Amino acid sequence: MDARGIIVSVRDRKGLPAEAAAWFAKGLASGEVTDAQAGAFAMAVLLNHLSGEERVAWTLAMRDSGGVLGWDLPGPVVDKHSTGGIGDCTSLLLAPALAACGAYVPMISGRGLGHTGGTLDKLEAIPGYRTDVPVEELRRLVADIGCAIVGATADVAPADRRLYSVRDVTGTVESIDLITASILSKKLAAGLEALVLDVKVGSGAFMKSMEDARALARSLVDTANGAGCRAAALITDMTQPLASSAGNALEVIEAMETMTGVAVNQSLWDVTVVLGAEALVLAGLAGDADEGADAIEEALESGRAAETFGRMVAALGGPADFVERYPDRLPAARVVRDVVADRGGFVTTIDGEALGQAVVRLGGGRLRGGDRINPSVGLSEIMPLGEPVEKGEAIARIHAASAEDADRAAAAVRAAIAIAEEEPEEPPLIHERIA
C-alpha cells in the first residue's frame, strides 16, 4: 500500500477502504505522506466525495493517528461543537452549565478561523488562563471540576493538523467530507459519549445557505453516530451576531454578564439552553428536551454554572476572584467610540462576515497564522436586526488600539449594517434539529 495508489483510487472513484484510510492518516502524521500527496488526496476527495461508510472510516483513521482519551468517571462525557460565527460565546456558558448538571466536559477548542472568533482566544483574554495543558492535567481538571476548556495537544489527531494546513493552500477547504472528519476526529479523540453540534447558517457563518448547513449537519451527525458517538445537530441563525459583542474580552464580559444575571443576552441564553438540553438528553441525564432545558436554566439561574466556571478559571491559572471581579480583570481598549447611524429606519441586514473582518483588522483576530491578538479590541452594543434606529443614534461601539484603527472600523461597520424604512422579518434563532 502506498500514497499514490490510495490517491488514484479516490481519484478514479474506486473508494477509500478502511485500511487505506488508516494507512494514509498515519502517513500524514509521520510525514511519510508528502504535502503534494496530501493536497492531491484532498482534491480527489473534494471532487469525488466519500460514501457515508468511507467518511466514518476516514474520520476514525484521523482520530486514531494520535492518542485517544479514555475515561473512568461517575457520569457521561459530553461536549459541544460550533461551526463558528460572530459573537458566539456559548461555550463559556455551556461547559460549566453541563458540568453543574452532572456531565463531564473535556472541551477541546480551537482558535479563531477567518472572520470567526475562537474560544481559546476568548479565554486567553483572561490574565493567566492556560489553554495548553498536558493530558494528565486535563484528566484531573475534568474529574475535579466537571469541565475544562483547553486546546488540543500535539498528540490529538496529528493527521488532521497536517491536512488542515494543506487544505487552505490547495483550494479544498469547502469539502464537507474533509470538514466533517476534521471536526469529529478531534472531538472523538476526547473520548466522548455524546456530542451536540451547533451548525451556524447566515451572513456571519461559513455556511451561508440552509442547503449547505443542512448538508454539513447531516454529515456530522451521521458520521459521529457511525463512529459510535451519540450526536445531534441544531442549525442556528447567524444572520446577525449571537451576542451583541464581537471581540475576545468583550465577549467574555457578555458571557459573564449573562451567566451571573447582571445583564442577560436573551439570544445567547436561549441558544445555550437549547444546546445544553440536547446534550443532556443525548447523555441520558434528561428524559426529554424540556427536562434538559429546565436543568440548564436552573444551573445558570442558581449561579452553579458561574461557580463552576470560576473554579475552572482559577485551576487553569486565571484570577481566583474572576467571577466577582471580571470587569476589572479583563483588558480594556485605549479608544472607545460609537458608530452612529447616518439615517433613520430599521436595521434590515447585517453582514456578519464583514463585522468579523472588522474585528480582525482591529487586531482581535489573525490575518496570518503567527499574528498576535489584542484581546481588548472589538465591537460591542451591536444593534440587532429589526431594531428601530434614529439618525445619529449609536448602532455599535468600537473598542480600538488607536484613533486610526477606530476610523477604519467605523467605516466597515456602517457598510455592514444596513438601515431602511421597512421593518424586516426576524429569522428564527433555531432553524432545525438534525438527528
Side-chain angles (χ1 to χ4, degrees):
M1 192 173 296
D2 58 50
R4 182 183 181 280
I6 293 169
I7 293 165
V8 168
S9 179
V10 178
R11 183 198 69 187
D12 295 344
R13 301 183 180 180
K14 294 180 180 177
L16 181 68
E19 58 273 18
W23 188 97
F24 203 88
K26 289 187 184 302
L28 283 169
S30 69
E32 185 172 352
V33 172
T34 68
D35 282 354
Q37 289 168 331
F41 173 83
M43 185 60 72
V45 171
L46 172 73
L47 295 175
N48 294 325
H49 311 293
L50 300 177
S51 69
E53 185 177 332
E54 289 167 347
R55 194 182 296 143
V56 171
W58 179 239
T59 300
L60 290 173
M62 296 269 274
R63 180 199 69 180
D64 295 339
S65 68
V68 179
L69 287 171
W71 300 94
D72 183 15
L73 295 167
V77 180
V78 305
D79 198 1
K80 159 258 185 188
H81 177 80
S82 169
T83 58
I86 309 301
D88 180 13
C89 46
T90 53
S91 291
L92 276 60
L93 289 83
L94 184 57
L98 287 170
C101 294
Y104 290 86
V105 189
M107 188 173 280
I108 297 176
S109 297
R111 302 193 179 279
L113 180 64
H115 66 278
T116 66
T119 298
L120 297 186
D121 298 324
K122 302 184 211 308
L123 287 168
E124 286 178 347
I126 302 172
Y129 192 101
R130 295 177 297 115
T131 58
D132 185 11
V133 302
V135 168
E136 287 312 310
E137 184 175 359
L138 173 62
R139 289 182 184 280
R140 178 180 58 78
L141 290 169
V142 172
D144 291 350
I145 299 168
C147 66
I149 309 176
V150 299
T153 66
D155 189 44
V156 172
D160 177 66
R161 188 177 302 107
R162 179 88 187 291
L163 190 60
Y164 193 92
S165 65
V166 171
R167 284 166 54 206
D168 187 41
V169 297
T170 57
T172 55
V173 169
E174 297 83 358
S175 167
I176 283 183
D177 296 313
L178 298 180
I179 292 170
T180 297
S182 179
I183 290 169
L184 292 180
S185 61
K186 296 187 286 284
K187 288 297 183 182
L188 296 176
L192 303 181
E193 298 170 52
L195 174 65
V196 63
L197 296 144
D198 182 3
V199 177
K200 301 292 187 186
V201 63
S203 67
F206 287 108
M207 298 297 170
K208 308 296 186 191
S209 72
M210 274 299 297
E211 181 182 4
D212 288 344
R214 196 176 286 121
L216 178 57
R218 183 80 270 160
S219 175
L220 287 165
V221 169
D222 289 349
T223 305
N225 285 328
C229 177
R230 294 187 296 277
L234 296 169
I235 299 176
T236 67
D237 187 66
M238 190 45 68
T239 55
Q240 61 182 325
L242 180 58
S244 63
S245 302
N248 296 303
L250 297 168
E251 289 184 53
V252 174
I253 289 172
E254 191 156 4
M256 294 307 302
E257 289 176 343
T258 298
M259 200 183 321
T260 58
V262 170
V264 173
N265 178 305
Q266 197 61 49
S267 295
L268 182 59
W269 177 283
D270 289 348
V271 171
T272 300
V273 168
V274 74
L275 289 169
E278 194 70 47
L280 292 179
V281 172
L282 288 169
L285 293 172
D288 56 34
D290 289 341
E291 182 183 336
D294 289 345
I296 295 292
E297 291 200 321
E298 191 280 330
L300 292 168
E301 290 170 348
S302 67
R304 292 191 299 122
E307 179 187 1
T308 300
F309 186 83
R311 290 178 60 209
M312 180 187 74
V313 167
L316 283 163
D321 61 353
F322 183 73
V323 172
E324 296 76 25
R325 301 284 302 277
Y326 63 87
D328 303 328
R329 298 291 183 248
L330 290 163
R334 290 173 53 199
V335 177
V336 179
R337 180 184 302 173
D338 286 343
V339 182
V340 299
D342 53 12
R343 61 179 296 183
F346 295 91
V347 176
T348 54
T349 61
I350 297 176
D351 186 339
E353 184 168 351
L355 290 184
Q357 292 293 354
V359 173
V360 170
R361 287 179 169 77
L362 282 167
R366 297 174 184 84
L367 291 168
R368 290 167 294 277
D371 287 353
R372 290 179 62 84
I373 281 182
N374 182 341
S376 69
V377 302
L379 308 172
S380 66
E381 300 180 39
I382 303 167
M383 192 168 278
L385 286 173
E387 192 77 3
V389 57
E390 297 181 4
K391 183 177 180 179
E393 186 179 358
I395 55 175
R397 179 167 290 171
I398 295 170
H399 301 251
S402 68
E404 293 80 7
D405 287 350
D407 288 341
R408 285 192 293 269
V413 169
R414 285 195 186 93
I417 299 178
I419 298 170
E421 292 183 3
E422 188 172 346
E423 185 175 2
E425 284 189 25
E426 290 191 54
L429 196 58
I430 311 298
H431 289 277
E432 284 184 20
R433 176 182 182 271
I434 307 283

